[in-house]
Amino acid sequence: MKYIRDFREGDRVSGIYLCKHKQGAVTKNGKMYENVILQDKTGTIDAKVWEPNNPGIGDYSVLDYIEVYGDVNNFQGTLQVSIKRIRVCQEGEFEPGDYLPVTSKSIDAMFQEMLELIRSIKNPYLKKLLESFFVEDQEFAKAFRKSSAAKTVHHGFVGGLLEHTLSVTRLCDYYCSAYPILKRDLLLTAAMCHDIGKVREISPFPQNDYTDDGQLLGHIVMGAQMAAEHAAKIQGFPHSLLTEVQHCILAHHGKYEYGSPKIPALMEALALNYADDTDAKLETFKELLENNAANTGWLGYNRLFESNVRASKMEE
């Protein structure tokens, strides 16, 4: 198969892809068409079925694996597939692993590093809190290992939540060595717990979409709730310590306009906010460059970075 990452304008597409999204729409002239998002392990691409009643367009649904025939066009600077034919595929015609984006790193190795960091925590209550999630709650740990960190933007792949959390925790560990005033046990606990709510906010692959709870509450609020639920089962867990962990979780987006219920009021919360923002932005930039590896020039204005961006040209 030809992976979506390798699509170029003018390509003829003939292969099997996961139908991530399907929605009927109407043109300005009143003509029916369908918006579709195709997915494989390298990413997604928008597609259009301009003639949905064409005999070559079979009856298909969201999360079906469909054989697609069409052309790759450029619409307002973005690649898009114009689909001419669709056939729903049966089990055995495709390898599911080709359609789920997966971290390039070892999930087992990353999780073991997380466990090592948990073992380094000296405060008995914080250590027990982390163990209650990542060691004792096998259902949570399994979901955490397989979850993405986002529906889109950054770390939107199997293992993405673990990869992002570990990166943020590493940064926080460095901050503690550079600024010894930081309470390492509190900061690392908050770092490992800051996105635990995403296990409930975003559904597992292949859906990888917001749940009802995710839409109504969001991962920040749910994460603070989950920390309280687990702490309540630990005898003698200090209330003030729990509120500090919760505050770090609630403030990790830094600003109200970024969806943060609280602004950092603790130094550890501020450090977590910067670590989270650093990893999210650098990963986003990395994915942007990887997805446009063939383009050595400017990539156009990026809303997240508020700038026209490109890869550096410094030779090794």
Side-chain angles (χ1 to χ4, degrees):
M1 64 181 291
K2 186 166 187 175
Y3 290 116
I4 290 171
R5 180 178 56 197
D6 300 324
F7 283 6
R8 300 290 180 265
E9 183 180 0
D11 283 353
R12 178 64 52 84
V13 176
S14 180
I16 299 174
Y17 300 92
L18 176 68
C19 177
K20 181 73 179 295
H21 172 82
K22 173 188 177 184
Q23 185 177 42
V26 181
T27 67
K28 294 179 180 178
N29 298 326
K31 184 178 178 181
M32 297 290 297
Y33 71 98
E34 291 174 346
N35 286 311
V36 178
I37 296 179
L38 302 176
Q39 175 178 300
D40 65 22
K41 68 179 182 181
T42 67
T44 60
I45 190 169
D46 290 329
K48 306 292 182 189
V49 179
W50 297 113
E51 302 287 345
N53 296 320
N54 186 307
I57 303 297
D59 186 19
Y60 68 103
S61 303
V62 174
L63 300 184
D64 278 345
Y65 290 89
I66 56 177
E67 185 176 28
V68 170
Y69 179 85
D71 300 306
V72 180
N73 305 309
N74 189 314
F75 178 72
Q76 297 181 346
T78 303
L79 293 182
Q80 184 181 93
V81 179
S82 177
I83 299 177
K84 312 298 183 185
R85 294 201 299 267
I86 289 177
R87 178 183 68 86
V88 175
C89 300
Q90 304 302 316
E91 188 173 349
E93 292 187 71
F94 53 87
E95 173 53 54
D98 286 334
Y99 301 90
L100 301 182
V102 181
T103 176
S104 60
K105 300 177 174 63
S106 167
I107 290 178
D108 287 341
M110 288 192 293
F111 195 73
Q112 285 303 312
E113 186 174 346
M114 281 272 291
L115 295 180
E116 285 293 330
L117 286 164
I118 291 173
R119 284 191 281 270
S120 75
I121 300 298
K122 295 181 173 58
N123 182 282
Y125 297 105
L126 294 178
K127 188 173 187 178
K128 184 65 176 175
L129 179 64
L130 291 170
E131 289 175 342
S132 73
F133 280 109
F134 298 101
V135 179
E136 298 166 8
D137 191 339
Q138 291 298 307
E139 183 177 351
F140 169 84
K142 181 179 179 181
F144 188 88
R145 288 162 57 99
K146 293 184 176 181
S147 292
S148 71
K151 180 180 175 182
T152 55
V153 185
H154 71 91
H155 295 93
F157 42 76
V158 174
L161 179 57
L162 172 58
E163 183 177 322
H164 170 61
T165 300
L166 181 57
S167 294
V168 170
T169 306
R170 287 170 177 162
L171 284 171
C172 287
D173 204 13
Y174 164 73
Y175 292 164
C176 291
S177 63
Y179 304 95
I181 191 174
L182 288 164
K183 303 296 190 296
R184 182 179 183 273
D185 284 356
L186 173 60
L187 179 53
L188 264 61
T189 298
M192 285 184 266
C193 291
H194 83 282
D195 271 351
I196 54 176
K198 287 189 175 179
V199 170
R200 296 181 181 177
E201 180 186 46
I202 302 175
S203 59
F205 281 96
Q207 293 92 342
N208 194 47
D209 205 350
Y210 291 109
T211 63
D212 286 348
D213 286 354
Q215 293 280 14
L216 295 171
L217 301 175
H219 75 279
I220 297 177
V221 171
M222 287 191 288
Q225 289 176 335
M226 291 164 69
E229 291 168 2
H230 280 244
K233 299 175 183 178
I234 301 172
Q235 187 174 3
F237 199 105
H239 175 74
S240 61
L241 184 58
L242 173 60
T243 56
E244 289 184 347
V245 172
Q246 288 182 300
H247 173 74
C248 290
I249 294 173
L250 292 169
H252 81 262
H253 276 196
K255 297 181 180 180
Y256 295 134
E257 57 264 39
Y258 297 157
S260 194
K262 297 296 293 183
I263 304 297
L266 300 174
M267 192 173 181
E268 289 77 15
L270 183 66
L272 175 59
N273 167 231
Y274 285 140
D276 178 58
D277 190 56
T278 295
D279 185 61
K281 281 191 168 64
L282 289 179
E283 174 65 21
T284 300
F285 212 127
K286 179 176 79 73
E287 292 176 15
L288 181 66
L289 295 178
E290 289 175 347
N291 291 333
N292 291 274
N295 185 353
T296 58
W298 291 94
L299 302 179
Y301 181 83
N302 184 279
R303 181 176 56 84
L304 179 66
F305 301 113
E306 300 180 338
S307 175
N308 189 9
V309 300
R310 71 163 172 81
S312 53
K313 295 182 179 179
M314 177 179 175
E315 295 182 2
E316 295 293 337

